[in-house]
Amino acid sequence: LRVWNRLGWSNVIRPGQKLVVSKKASRPKVTVARTTESTSTTKLVYQVQSGDTLWGIGRQFAVDMEQILEWNNLDRGHVLRPGERLTLMVREQSRG
């Protein structure tokens, strides 16, 4: 809700204020970079969308958040930015 309505952590919601509570789903931009036949994993380049979280991306592609951090040399405090590109190693049947 914070992201969709451009609210900061300290913003107060007031009675009568209109808020966006859901948005039409958009397909994330995913580029398939390479397939490894023997392990049936695919190296994807995922473009971060507004509102994305590492947990949510990991859940979408059935990978652990810690793996995403490792594959992209990111620390735990990293803040995702829309347009940022993340490398993911995804099992073929796991793609959401």
Side-chain angles (χ1 to χ4, degrees):
L1 285 175
R2 263 187 343 91
V3 172
W4 293 337
N5 292 282
R6 295 190 172 110
L7 300 172
W9 288 105
S10 62
N11 285 102
V12 176
I13 299 172
R14 306 209 185 282
Q17 183 177 355
K18 293 183 181 182
L19 297 174
V20 174
V21 293
S22 69
K23 284 192 172 184
K24 182 179 177 184
S26 62
R27 288 186 70 80
K29 183 175 181 182
V30 177
T31 305
V32 177
R34 175 180 47 114
T35 301
T36 307
E37 300 294 329
S38 61
T39 58
S40 71
T41 59
T42 302
K43 180 179 178 181
L44 300 177
V45 178
Y46 177 82
Q47 186 170 350
V48 175
Q49 305 293 305
S50 180
D52 275 346
T53 63
L54 287 173
W55 180 83
I57 294 167
R59 187 166 173 224
Q60 180 179 349
F61 291 96
V63 297
D64 188 67
M65 187 176 86
E66 295 296 327
Q67 291 176 304
I68 298 172
L69 293 171
E70 185 179 320
W71 295 328
N72 293 279
N73 297 317
L74 304 175
D75 59 37
R76 281 186 121 320
H78 182 77
V79 176
L80 292 178
R81 307 256 185 245
E84 183 175 352
R85 296 175 190 274
L86 297 174
T87 298
L88 305 174
M89 299 301 292
V90 179
R91 279 189 239 116
E92 277 301 313
Q93 68 275 16
S94 300
R95 290 175 61 183

